[in-house]
């Protein structure tokens, strides 16, 4: 059967490396998304090639140095380097399910729904924070001063210090999906219910979102602009004012400072020469 975007594949994550990209997607049959099967595509020169058909759910991908890592629903890890795979499916036990990967300061971290941040230290995952059974973690990044910050559900925002969370007061209970350093002293935090907070750990202020209700999933810096994926549009932050950068669907943005990509429902696009170019994902499986 042939699967393709849009329609037959649902992209869930993009990772950028060496002027190219990797994309994972789940097949869509006659019913819902088949989360138990994941396809991995490598994109070079705007052409996507299927490089692996995982017979398991892959929950995230991330690049560290010259390697691409994929993590499955059991926290097993798969490394792709120099065209070769190294499978490490047993390293997930007894680590909680890892729902996303983040590369922070050149290291690979896994985020869980149990408040546990995992650090990959070959040949095993190391749990950085203790299990709390309550906090679904969404994002992990450095603030402008180099401190590690995590976001989670129900207004969770915290520094990660010596294996523990130091929570930051926020003026919302909305789930916070991303944190982004604007400067040494200022961060931008986004989340559900059109949440956009700006400031520092001492004071975060809600930005005016002009009645929007969509999730503001994440922020990137591209071409000296700060852009926010806002569901059915991309917003631009100028100072403390949000404006529309582009009226185009964007569930999540991915950027390495040079390449700008977006995923939306059943497609992935790359921004090139002032316009979005769709990158078809096609697989006969």
């Amino acid at each position: 059967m042939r699967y393709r975007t849009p329609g037959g594949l649902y992209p869930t994550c993009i990772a950028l490396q060496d002027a190219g990209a990797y994309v994972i997607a789940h097949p869509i049959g006659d019913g819902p998304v088949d989360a138990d099967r994941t396809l991995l595509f490598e994109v070079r020169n705007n052409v996507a090639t299927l490089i692996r058909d995982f017979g398991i759910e892959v929950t995230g991908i991330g690049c560290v140095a010259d390697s691409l890592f994929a993590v499955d629903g059991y926290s097993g890890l798969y490394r792709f380097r120099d065209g070769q795979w190294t499978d490490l499916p047993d390293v997930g036990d007894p680590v909680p399910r890892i729902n996303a990967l983040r590369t922070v300061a050149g290291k690979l971290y896994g985020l869980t729904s149990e408040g546990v941040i995992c650090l990959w230290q070959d040949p095993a995952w190391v749990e950085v924070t203790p299990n709390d059974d309550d906090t679904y973690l969404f994002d992990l990044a450095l603030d402008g001063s180099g401190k590690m910050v995590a976001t989670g559900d129900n207004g969770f925002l915290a520094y990660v210090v010596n294996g523990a969370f130091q929570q930051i007061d926020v003026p919302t209970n909305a789930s916070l999906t991303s944190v982004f350093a604007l400067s040494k002293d200022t961060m931008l935090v986004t989340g559900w219910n059109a949440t956009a907070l700006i400031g520092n750990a001492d004071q975060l202020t809600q930005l005016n979102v002009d009645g929007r209700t969509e999730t503001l999933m994440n922020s990137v810096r591209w071409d000296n602009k700060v852009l926010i994926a806002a569901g059915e549009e991309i917003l631009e932050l100028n100072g403390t004012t949000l404006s529309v950068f582009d009226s185009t669907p964007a569930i999540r943005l991915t950027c390495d400072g040079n390449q700008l990509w977006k995923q939306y429902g059943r497609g992935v696009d790359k921004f090139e020469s002032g316009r979005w170019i769709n990158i078809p994902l096609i697989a006969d499986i």
Side-chain angles (χ1 to χ4, degrees), residues 104-105 109 117 128 140-143 146-150 158-161:
V104 181
Y109 290 88
I117 297 173
V128 176
L140 185 69
L142 299 180
D143 71 2
K147 297 178 182 178
M148 191 174 293
V149 187
Y159 284 117
V160 183
V161 181

Side-chain angles (χ1 to χ4, degrees), residues 2-11 23 25-26 28 41 48 264-269 278-283:
R2 168 162 285 201
Y3 292 88
R4 63 180 299 151
T5 52
L9 289 172
Y10 187 88
V23 182
H26 298 300
I28 303 173
F41 294 86
Y264 54 97
R266 300 185 180 187
V268 292
D269 288 1
N278 178 252
I279 308 297
L281 309 178
I282 303 172

Side-chain angles (χ1 to χ4, degrees), residues 49-111:
T49 303
L50 179 66
I51 62 171
R52 182 151 183 176
D53 179 358
F54 290 92
I56 195 169
E57 179 188 15
V58 170
T59 58
I61 54 176
C63 292
V64 177
D66 58 351
S67 296
L68 171 74
F69 290 88
V71 67
D72 67 30
Y74 300 96
S75 299
L77 205 61
Y78 306 82
R79 181 173 58 214
F80 184 63
R81 181 169 59 195
D82 297 329
Q84 301 294 321
W85 285 98
T86 300
D87 292 1
L88 305 163
D90 298 329
V91 299
D93 187 22
V95 174
R97 172 187 166 97
I98 293 175
N99 300 303
L101 295 178
R102 293 290 183 269
T103 301
V104 181
K107 297 180 180 180
L108 186 71
Y109 290 88
L111 305 181

Side-chain angles (χ1 to χ4, degrees), residues 45-272:
N45 298 318
N46 296 343
V47 176
T49 303
L50 179 66
I51 62 171
R52 182 151 183 176
D53 179 358
F54 290 92
I56 195 169
E57 179 188 15
V58 170
T59 58
I61 54 176
C63 292
V64 177
D66 58 351
S67 296
L68 171 74
F69 290 88
V71 67
D72 67 30
Y74 300 96
S75 299
L77 205 61
Y78 306 82
R79 181 173 58 214
F80 184 63
R81 181 169 59 195
D82 297 329
Q84 301 294 321
W85 285 98
T86 300
D87 292 1
L88 305 163
D90 298 329
V91 299
D93 187 22
V95 174
R97 172 187 166 97
I98 293 175
N99 300 303
L101 295 178
R102 293 290 183 269
T103 301
V104 181
K107 297 180 180 180
L108 186 71
Y109 290 88
L111 305 181
T112 76
S113 57
E114 299 181 12
V116 179
I117 297 173
C118 301
L119 169 64
W120 175 247
Q121 290 186 326
D122 197 355
W125 288 111
V126 175
E127 295 187 7
V128 176
T129 54
N131 187 311
D132 68 8
D133 290 329
D134 292 326
T135 304
Y136 190 109
L137 297 172
F138 282 103
D139 199 18
L140 185 69
L142 299 180
D143 71 2
S145 65
K147 297 178 182 178
M148 191 174 293
V149 187
T151 74
D153 56 357
N154 301 316
F156 181 84
L157 181 68
Y159 284 117
V160 183
V161 181
N162 297 325
F165 290 121
Q166 294 182 358
Q167 273 196 254
I168 300 169
D169 289 334
V170 297
T172 181
N173 288 322
S175 293
L176 304 177
T177 54
S178 80
V179 57
F180 182 77
L182 295 174
S183 68
K184 181 178 179 181
D185 303 313
T186 306
M187 69 178 80
L188 173 64
V189 181
T190 63
W192 292 9
N193 305 326
T195 298
L197 308 174
I198 192 169
N200 55 41
D202 295 325
Q203 184 175 11
L204 286 163
T205 303
Q206 172 75 54
L207 297 178
N208 180 9
V209 294
D210 292 327
R212 292 180 173 87
T213 59
E214 294 277 0
T215 294
L216 307 186
M217 185 59 72
N218 74 314
S219 307
V220 300
R221 191 183 303 276
W222 175 81
D223 193 29
N224 294 320
K225 299 177 177 65
V226 175
L227 305 179
I228 303 171
E232 295 303 316
E233 58 189 349
I234 298 173
L235 302 179
E236 180 178 353
L237 176 67
N238 294 286
T240 58
T241 302
L242 295 172
S243 60
V244 177
F245 171 78
D246 200 347
S247 298
T248 182
I251 293 177
R252 176 177 288 276
L253 296 171
T254 304
C255 183
D256 60 4
N258 180 27
Q259 299 183 79
L260 176 64
W261 291 67
K262 70 182 179 79
Q263 62 193 70
Y264 54 97
R266 300 185 180 187
V268 292
D269 288 1
K270 179 183 179 183
F271 197 70
E272 193 170 278

